[in-house]
């Protein structure tokens, strides 16, 4: 396997050296750097009390960043054709992980949810992997069954024979937020795959109805929905987390109170370095810093969508669907997390990609970044296109004369 990867063309080495989409890479690295800074600030008080070391969470987060970048470097070496061949195996792996996490003695329960599998001091969150594996499987399905999906109701319905059982497993954890993000990305991919407007509209109506039913079947979900509409009605009870987040936004005003000077992180705002890190960012960097962060993430998300468009123009349809699916995962999770922080959505336990503290989420996000960079490189070099053939000379090392001329 390693020998195969060394021989396969890669954006990390070749005639042009490191050949990556540097605007996309720079945007993602900027978000990673900002996340490290905000985790250091938001977690310092909690870490000092709980562990005696104010940099405890920062050090762990830095380890996750290094692991994530290492996973990303490995992903850059793997051709997309490999993931296309392995799509059904990845789907089986996703089901296996989601079943394992529910088994007593294997899954770890935190705050009433069985979402993690423990490996010593580290926890792995299977839902993070499952969402990506579903995107890869669905991309392969849309390529194999493109005409059937567009023309046949059965071809359109078959993916849900896979998606609904997986959503059921996620709800058993329970992880309502991951379920919404995964299903939303899947629906968007089906729409881009050419599903007719009538069937797509019926799907949207059914999805909205399912969300309404799911909210009403669990008392805590209904309570969250009621609370977020007026959190001040129960400021020290069910609305406590949201009111503290809104206070953080209010204290930040336009320019913020200064990096490291947040008051809300001092045990007023629960989960300040995970789900509500954006509130601490807004308090310390102000509205200007919050809007700049949103703009940066919007750039990364839109760039990911364009990478899918470029892959489609290169007739690499599997790559295009994967890029779109990953973009919708990021954008969906970002919109939900920010919506929760500003009080536009009910409280959900979803991390903010690139910024929030969390091992599985951060490592998987970095791997997805690398997968997008690989897609952009393959579509730009037309690698794998059905209209282009390559031989060994295309990937030969440059001659001294070519180097001298800067080619």
């Amino acid at each position: 396997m390693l020998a195969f990867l060394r021989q396969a063309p890669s954006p990390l080495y070749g005639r042009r050296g490191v050949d990556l989409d540097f605007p996309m890479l720079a945007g993602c690295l900027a978000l990673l750097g900002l996340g490290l800074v905000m985790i250091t600030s938001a977690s310092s008080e909690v870490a000092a009390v709980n562990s005696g070391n104010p940099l405890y969470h920062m050090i762990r987060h830095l380890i996750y960043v290094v692991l994530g970048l290492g996973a990303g470097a490995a992903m850059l070496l793997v051709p997309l054709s490999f993931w296309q061949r392995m799509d059904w195996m990845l789907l089986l792996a996703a089901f296996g992980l989601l079943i394992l996490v529910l088994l007593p003695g294997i899954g770890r329960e935190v705050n009433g949810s069985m979402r993690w599998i423990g490996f010593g001091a580290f926890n792995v969150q299977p839902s993070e992997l499952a969402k990506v594996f579903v995107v890869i499987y669905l991309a392969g399905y849309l390529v194999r069954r493109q005409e059937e999906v567009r023309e046949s109701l059965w071809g359109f319905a078959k993916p849900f024979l896979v998606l609904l059982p997986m959503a059921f497993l996620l709800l058993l954890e329970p992880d309502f937020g991951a379920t919404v993000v995964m299903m939303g990305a899947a629906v968007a991919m089906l729409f881009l795959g050419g599903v007719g407007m009538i069937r797509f509209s019926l799907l949207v109506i059914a999805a909205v109805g399912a969300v309404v039913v799911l909210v009403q079947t669990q008392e805590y979900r209904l309570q969250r929905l009621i609370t977020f509409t007026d959190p001040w009605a129960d400021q020290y009870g069910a609305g406590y987390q949201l009111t503290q987040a809104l206070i953080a936004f209010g204290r930040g005003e336009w320019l913020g109170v200064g990096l490291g000077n947040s008051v809300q992180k001092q045990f007023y705002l629960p989960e300040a370095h995970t789900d509500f890190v954006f509130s601490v960012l807004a308090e310390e960097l102000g509205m200007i810093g919050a809007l700049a962060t949103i703009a940066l993430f919007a750039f990364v998300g839109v760039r990911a969508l364009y990478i899918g468009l470029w892959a489609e123009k290169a007739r690499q349809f599997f790559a295009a669907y994967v890029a779109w699916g990953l973009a919708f995962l990021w954008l969906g999770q970002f919109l939900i997390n920010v919506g929760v922080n500003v009080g536009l959505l009910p409280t959900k336990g979803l991390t903010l990609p690139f910024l929030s503290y969390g091992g599985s989420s951060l490592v998987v996000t970095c791997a997805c970044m690398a997968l997008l960079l690989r897609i952009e490189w393959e579509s730009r070099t037309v690698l794998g296109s059905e209209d282009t053939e390559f031989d060994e000379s295309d990937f030969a090392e440059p001659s001294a004369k070519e180097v001298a001329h800067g080619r």
Side-chain angles (χ1 to χ4, degrees), residues 103-370:
L103 299 179
I106 297 179
R108 284 186 176 179
E109 183 175 351
V110 179
N111 295 330
S113 298
M114 295 280 288
R115 300 180 186 176
W116 294 268
I117 297 177
F119 293 93
F122 298 94
N123 292 327
V124 174
Q125 192 168 359
S127 61
E128 295 292 336
L129 291 170
K131 289 184 293 186
V132 178
F133 291 169
V134 164
V135 165
I136 293 174
Y137 171 78
L138 192 54
Y141 175 83
L142 289 172
V143 170
R144 292 190 302 271
R145 306 288 184 177
Q146 188 174 53
E147 291 302 320
E148 189 178 357
V149 169
R150 293 179 177 179
E151 305 297 335
S152 166
L153 180 60
W154 176 236
F156 164 70
K158 278 196 291 187
F160 292 96
L161 298 178
V162 171
L163 293 173
L164 292 179
M166 186 163 292
F168 177 72
L169 290 173
L170 287 171
L171 290 173
L172 288 179
E173 296 184 3
D175 196 343
F176 186 66
T179 306
V180 171
V181 170
M182 182 192 74
M183 295 300 289
V187 169
M189 290 175 68
L190 286 170
F191 177 73
L192 293 174
V195 172
M197 283 302 300
I198 295 178
R199 280 175 287 167
F200 181 75
S201 300
L202 292 175
L203 175 62
V204 172
I205 293 172
V208 172
V211 170
V212 172
V213 172
L214 288 172
V215 167
Q216 293 180 340
T217 54
Q218 293 290 335
E219 181 63 29
Y220 79 93
R221 292 184 190 134
L222 185 60
Q223 185 61 41
R224 285 181 177 180
L225 183 63
I226 295 173
T227 300
F228 104 97
T229 58
D230 185 14
W232 304 101
D234 190 10
Q235 180 179 353
Y236 299 104
Y240 178 78
Q241 201 167 23
L242 180 53
T243 55
Q244 296 303 314
L246 294 176
I247 290 172
F249 277 92
R251 292 193 74 255
E253 297 184 350
W254 285 103
L255 298 177
V257 298
L259 190 62
N261 294 328
S262 168
V263 172
Q264 294 305 106
K265 69 181 181 182
Q266 298 178 11
F267 301 97
Y268 291 102
L269 180 60
E271 309 295 338
H273 59 295
T274 55
D275 300 342
F276 283 86
V277 67
F278 190 75
S279 297
V280 177
L281 184 149
E283 183 182 4
E284 296 189 348
L285 303 183
M287 184 61 69
I288 300 299
L291 292 176
T293 302
I294 292 175
L296 183 58
F297 203 95
F299 167 77
V300 169
V302 172
R303 187 80 177 182
L305 292 173
Y306 268 102
I307 287 174
L309 180 62
W310 298 331
E312 185 188 38
K313 289 182 177 180
R315 301 184 62 81
Q316 298 182 16
F317 299 112
F318 173 77
Y321 290 129
V322 170
W324 287 329
L326 296 179
F328 286 121
L329 286 180
W330 282 359
L331 291 171
Q333 199 159 327
F334 176 79
L335 290 174
I336 291 176
N337 183 279
V338 173
V340 167
N341 275 254
V342 299
L344 293 177
L345 293 173
T347 303
K348 288 306 305 168
L350 275 178
T351 57
L352 188 60
F354 293 106
L355 268 70
S356 290
Y357 177 82
S360 298
S361 175
L362 191 63
V363 172
V364 171
T365 298
C366 290
C368 291
M369 172 192 69

Side-chain angles (χ1 to χ4, degrees), residues 356-407:
S356 290
Y357 177 82
S360 298
S361 175
L362 191 63
V363 172
V364 171
T365 298
C366 290
C368 291
M369 172 192 69
L371 188 54
L372 285 165
L373 292 173
R374 176 84 194 195
I375 290 171
E376 189 277 334
W377 177 77
E378 288 199 12
S379 63
R380 178 161 42 84
T381 57
V382 206
L383 183 66
S385 171
E386 59 188 39
D387 300 324
T388 305
E389 294 183 359
F390 290 87
D391 56 34
E392 294 182 1
S393 63
D394 290 306
F395 306 106
E397 293 296 325
S399 64
K401 183 176 181 181
E402 287 178 324
V403 173
H405 286 280
R407 292 191 295 180

